[in-house]
Structure formats: C-alpha cells, structure tokens
C-alpha cells in the first residue's frame, strides 16, 4: 500500500500505544483510535516497506469493545489514548502488555506466568481520578485567553476546562481565571515570542481532605490586580493555598524553581491510608489517590513485614512507600536523587511521628553500593543477622528507564529475602527481572495496577524472593 490509499481493515490486535492493528493483504497498518474488533475504513498517511500508519476515517462495523467516549475531545487530546475502548478491555490490554513483555524480554515461560500473575487491579469508577492537573494557557484567533490540553504531540491548545479525568472543581477555577484575565486584559504567555504573562495553572486537590491548591505559573514576578482574582478563588469551598511560581525561562519545563504564597498556606494536606502528607506546588505526589493506596498496600502485602526487618526503599520520592512500610518494619532507608523530595520525606516522617525511617539524597546506584562497601569492611566476618550490609526487603520504584546494573548487583550482594519491584514500564521491568533471576532470585508474584485509566500506561508490582532462602 502507499500513501493516501484507503482500505477496509479488520482490527485484530492492539499496539503498545493503544492503536489498532490490522492487515490488508499481509501489509500491517497501525491505526490510532481503532479498537480491536472494529472494521474500519482507513487512509494510509505514512507507508513503509512492510507496515504503515493510517488514519481512521470511518468505523464500518464497531467492535463489541467500542464505547462512546465521555469526553468530546478524546480523539484529539494528547491526554487520553484509549477512551473509546471499554474499561474491561483496557484492563485486559494492560495485563497482556505486562505479560507479553515478561515473556519476550524477560524470557519467562507461559506456565510460570500463569502461576505468578494475579488479576489486574482496576478502578470501580475510571473517570475523575486525577488529583492534579497542569493547564497551559494560550490565546485563540479572536484574541481571547484559552486554556485546556495540548493536542497529541503538539503544543496546540484544545480549549477545554472540563477534563473527564480531572476533578470537577477544575472547571470553576479555570473559568474564574479566564474571566479575570478578560476583565483586566491580562495576556496568556506566548511560547513563540516569549511575551505575555500567564503560562500554566496547576490545580491539586487533596482527595481525603477536600483541600484545594491553585498555583499560577507566570512569566514575571507578579500578576496585576491579583487581589481581584484571589478574592474570587478564596471564596471557593476547600480553597487552602493560592500561590504564584515565576518562570521566565523559555523552556518546556512547566513550573518555576520557587513559589510565593498569595493567599492561605503554601501547601495542602492529604492522606494515603493513614499517612499524612504535606504537598507543596513543587512536590511530586502520585496523581491517582484511589489506586495509589491499592499500589502501596500491594507493595506492603508483598513485603510481608513482621516488625523487625531492615527495608530499603530505592527511588523513594517524598518517602511515600517508605513511610507506609515504616509502620511495620524495624528500619526503613529511603534513597532519592532530588534533594527537595528528601526534604519532604523527612518532614512527612516528622508530622506522622515516624522515627524509624532515614533518608539519603543521591543516585540509588551510587548510594547503595557505597553504603555496602563502607559497611562491608567494618563487618568482615559478621554476616547474617544484625549485619548492616544485609537487608530483609528491598523495594525499588524507578523511573521508566528502570534500574542501573550497578544497583542490581548491589541488591544481589545484600541478599534480601525479598525484592519488591514497582514499575511504570513493563519493558525495563522485564529486563531487570531477568538480571535478578540470573543471580539467585525467582519470580513469586506479578500484578498490574491501573493507575491511569483511559491511557496506555500501566504500573506493575512484582515480588521476587531468594531461591536459597
Ligand atoms: N516511590 C515514589 C516515587 C517514584 S517515582 C512514590 O511512589 O511516590 C521515581 C523517583 O525516582 C522520582 O522521585 C525520581 O526523582 C527518582 N529518581 C530518578 N532517578 C534516580 C536515581 N538514579 N536514583 C534515585 N532516585 C532517582
């Protein structure tokens, strides 16, 4: 097939980005927004030798798994990829994505995976789950300020203040800000020229507390007539923190380096389980609180702590998993590369009265090997119980690129009975599990958790144990 050809295609598979895959006379087409089971009319946009990318022109006969998307912008918007697929099918797709990677990249057998894979943990209500959103501001052709979401792979703003994945309160906040901007002629920032003022608005809601934070990211130090805006926002039930973060750099990075409080306090409070967290505009915090609690509870279940264990939580962020586990462990050490996150982790330990957690700033692949080397010398001959170089449980929760080999090597040397791997990328997960399994560990349990319904992302929690334990 060649560019601009059209054909009827039966969709028989799902690609890693949620796109439909079908064949026409042996030629494979990848078709965004086509659902497995559909027959669609597709137009080839880009043709390679053995495969091509086509655009969905018309659904000729819909799949039983095709549903009407809740959001009218679902196809254009870069936020969701699979809103037109039934939620049950989305979950099956994600579970299969994890399984497929473990088979292909990890080299694990079907029989083993049948035994160790537990059913994917989905949501009862897979919409309105996000506690955080960052809305870009721009200007429409008539010169009015607009806000919404970027269209897929672009910086074109689709005006929409009512995202189906976000908190309902976002809409009122954004409309209030847009109304204020019109009234006082405050311009949106323009990426192309570097002019204008309002760049982004960050909104966060504490799902357990109802507290709301609004942070205005501006190309400057202040907003003219800010009091008029603050008065309106502050009236909203739950409003707790209104801040301004100056960002005058010409960059894609959303937030500035600092923020100042315009009204209320500089943070909101939320709970995951019974642990309390203070969240500032610059802190990392999981965006789906309902699923985060399930994720951490699963990590806790896999760690199966009895009370006296030494636990390492690598890539600990603001110490969320560390503090969760500290409730049942003897001692928890957390390691994280971002110093401000460690400041938050220490503060969160303090406000929860947790005294058995200690945090280190640095790269996990440097901090852990160094700790091992330094303690190894001091303890030659003192292996086993009571040794500081041993760990009972090691938890890792790395970014998409997975763990460094140097880190995996040290984990193996520290001989933890259990390794709990929390992963946001099944491919690097499979690669790392293969390394650990080559060095004395075996796969015990694998469970996918759907942290991001309507998107192709999937989180996985894995339990590995030492073979000779
Ligand atoms: N466990 C936390 C955060 C996980 S996100 C939670 O559930 O909230 C992954 C974290 O790894 C991020 O906070 C990131 O800053 C950190 N990180 C990235 N590379 C790192 C490295 N080489 N060493 C330690 N931490 C790293």
């Amino acid at each position: 097939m060649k560019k601009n050809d059209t054909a009827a295609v039966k969709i028989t598979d799902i690609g890693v980005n949620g796109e439909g895959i079908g064949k026409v006379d042996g030629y494979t087409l990848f078709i965004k927004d086509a659902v497995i089971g559909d027959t669609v009319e597709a137009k080839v946009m880009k043709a390679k030798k053995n495969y091509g990318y086509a655009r969905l022109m018309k659904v000729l006969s819909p799949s039983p798994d095709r549903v009407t998307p809740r959001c009218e912008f679902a196809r254009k918007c870069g936020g969701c990829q699979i809103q037109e697929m039934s939620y049950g099918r989305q979950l099956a797709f994600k579970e299969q994505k994890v399984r497929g990677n473990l088979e292909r990249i990890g080299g694990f057998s079907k029989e083993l995976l049948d035994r160790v894979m537990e059913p994917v943990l989905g949501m009862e209500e897979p919409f309105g789950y996000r506690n955080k959103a960052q809305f870009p501001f721009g200007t429409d052709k008539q010169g009015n300020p607009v806000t919404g979401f970027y269209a897929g792979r672009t910086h074109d703003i689709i005006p929409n203040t009512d995202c189906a994945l976000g908190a309902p309160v976002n809409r009122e906040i954004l409309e209030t800000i847009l109304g204020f901007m019109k009234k006082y002629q405050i311009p949106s920032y323009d990426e192309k020229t570097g002019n204008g003022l309002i760049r982004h608005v960050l909104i966060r809601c504490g799902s357990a507390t109802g507290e709301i934070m609004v942070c205005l990211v501006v190309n400057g130090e202040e907003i003219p007539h800010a009091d008029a805006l603050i008065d309106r926002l502050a009236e909203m039930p739950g409003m707790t923190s209104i801040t301004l973060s100056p960002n005058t750099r010409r960059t894609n990075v959303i937030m500035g380096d600092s923020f100042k409080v315009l009204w209320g306090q500089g943070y909101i409070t939320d709970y995951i389980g019974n642990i309390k967290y203070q969240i500032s505009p610059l802190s990392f915090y999981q965006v789906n609180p309902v699923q985060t609690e399930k994720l951490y509870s699963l990590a806790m279940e896999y760690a199966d702590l009895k009370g006296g264990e030494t636990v390492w939580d690598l890539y600990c962020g603001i110490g969320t998993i560390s503090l969760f586990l500290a409730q049942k462990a003897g001692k928890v050490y957390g390691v994280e590369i971002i110093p401000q996150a460690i400041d938050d982790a220490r503060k969160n330990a303090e406000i929860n009265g947790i005294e058995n957690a200690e945090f280190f700033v640095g790269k996990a692949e440097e901090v852990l090997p160094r700790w091992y080397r330094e303690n190894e010398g001091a303890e030659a001959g003192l292996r086993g119980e009571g040794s500081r170089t041993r760990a009972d449980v090691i938890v890792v929760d790395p970014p998409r690129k997975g763990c460094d080999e140097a880190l995996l090597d040290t984990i193996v040397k520290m001989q933890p009975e259990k390794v709990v791997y929390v992963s946001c990328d099944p491919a690097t997960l499979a690669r790392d599990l293969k390394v650990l399994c080559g060095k004395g560990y075996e796969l015990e349990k694998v469970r996918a958790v759907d942290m991001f319904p309507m998107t192709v992302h999937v989180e996985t929690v894995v339990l590995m144990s030492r073979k000779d334990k």
Side-chain angles (χ1 to χ4, degrees), residues 310 333 371-391 413-414:
T310 300
Y333 298 101
W371 166 278
Y372 182 78
R373 270 197 313 277
E374 284 169 3
N375 287 289
E376 189 188 35
E379 291 182 16
L382 200 149
R383 278 295 158 78
E385 295 307 314
S387 160
R388 278 161 63 90
T389 54
R390 267 198 80 257
K413 284 189 196 149
M414 291 175 75

Side-chain angles (χ1 to χ4, degrees), residues 7-41:
V9 191
K10 170 91 183 159
I11 305 300
T12 51
D13 204 354
I14 306 174
V16 285
N17 295 315
E19 70 279 31
I21 303 177
K23 285 194 172 172
V24 180
D25 298 331
Y27 185 85
T28 303
L29 286 173
F30 294 90
I31 308 167
K32 184 174 148 356
D33 302 316
V35 175
I36 189 166
D38 279 344
T39 300
V40 301
E41 183 183 301

Side-chain angles (χ1 to χ4, degrees), residues 201-448:
V201 170
L202 161 76
I203 305 174
R204 268 183 161 148
C205 307
S207 63
T209 57
E211 296 180 3
I212 300 171
M213 157 189 295
V214 174
C215 178
L216 298 129
V217 184
V218 300
N219 179 34
E221 293 294 324
E222 54 187 25
I223 303 174
H225 312 287
D227 285 347
L229 175 62
I230 293 165
D231 286 348
R232 289 284 320 277
L233 292 175
E235 282 171 2
M236 291 180 187
M239 191 58 67
T240 304
S241 165
I242 305 175
T243 56
L244 177 146
S245 180
N247 180 359
T248 53
R249 287 166 305 180
R250 300 201 54 181
T251 155
N252 278 342
V253 176
I254 295 177
M255 302 299 295
D257 294 330
S258 63
F259 68 90
K260 54 187 174 200
V261 177
L262 298 179
W263 180 86
Q265 56 194 44
Y267 60 89
I268 56 169
T269 307
D270 199 19
Y271 287 83
I272 301 175
N274 51 1
I275 303 282
K276 184 174 173 182
Y277 298 93
Q278 281 183 7
I279 310 149
S280 93
L282 302 177
S283 317
F284 173 85
Y285 188 62
Q286 294 277 1
V287 299
N288 182 338
V290 172
Q291 293 303 89
T292 298
E293 186 162 352
K294 292 185 198 166
L295 184 79
Y296 293 172
S297 302
L298 188 61
M300 181 89 134
E301 182 193 316
Y302 283 3
D304 190 27
L305 300 172
K306 301 285 186 267
E309 292 91 342
T310 300
V311 179
W312 284 80
D313 176 21
L314 305 170
Y315 310 89
C316 68
I318 59 167
T320 26
I321 298 179
S322 322
L323 299 180
F324 222 68
L325 297 179
Q327 304 174 87
K328 287 208 176 165
K331 177 90 196 191
V332 178
Y333 298 101
V335 184
E336 158 66 42
I337 199 168
I338 297 180
Q340 292 88 336
I342 291 293
D343 292 343
D344 285 343
R346 290 182 181 137
K347 196 180 62 211
N348 287 328
E350 197 184 307
I351 61 178
N352 287 285
I354 292 174
E355 291 176 346
N356 58 338
E358 200 176 314
F359 295 97
F360 303 97
V361 178
K363 290 186 179 170
E365 63 272 26
E366 291 174 7
V367 172
L368 198 69
R370 195 183 321 129
W371 166 278
Y372 182 78
R373 270 197 313 277
E374 284 169 3
N375 287 289
E376 189 188 35
E379 291 182 16
L382 200 149
R383 278 295 158 78
E385 295 307 314
S387 160
R388 278 161 63 90
T389 54
R390 267 198 80 257
D392 298 295
V393 179
I394 296 186
V395 179
V396 297
D397 183 5
R400 286 196 195 162
K401 69 174 195 245
C403 298
D404 196 277
E405 282 252 20
L407 175 63
L408 295 176
D409 281 345
T410 307
I411 290 177
V412 170
K413 284 189 196 149
M414 291 175 75
Q415 305 179 10
E417 254 158 55
K418 300 190 181 82
V419 177
V420 178
Y421 197 133
V422 181
S423 156
C424 55
D425 184 330
T428 56
L429 169 70
R431 179 199 70 198
D432 292 348
L433 295 184
K434 187 175 182 184
V435 173
L436 290 171
C437 280
K439 296 184 175 173
Y441 282 82
E442 64 191 349
L443 213 49
E444 293 257 0
K445 284 178 183 162
V446 177
R447 190 159 200 184

Side-chain angles (χ1 to χ4, degrees), residues 140-159:
D140 69 11
K141 291 205 179 74
Q142 288 75 43
N144 293 313
V146 289
T147 185
F149 289 88
Y150 291 133
R153 292 189 206 116
T154 73
H155 271 196
D156 302 337
I157 295 173
I158 300 170

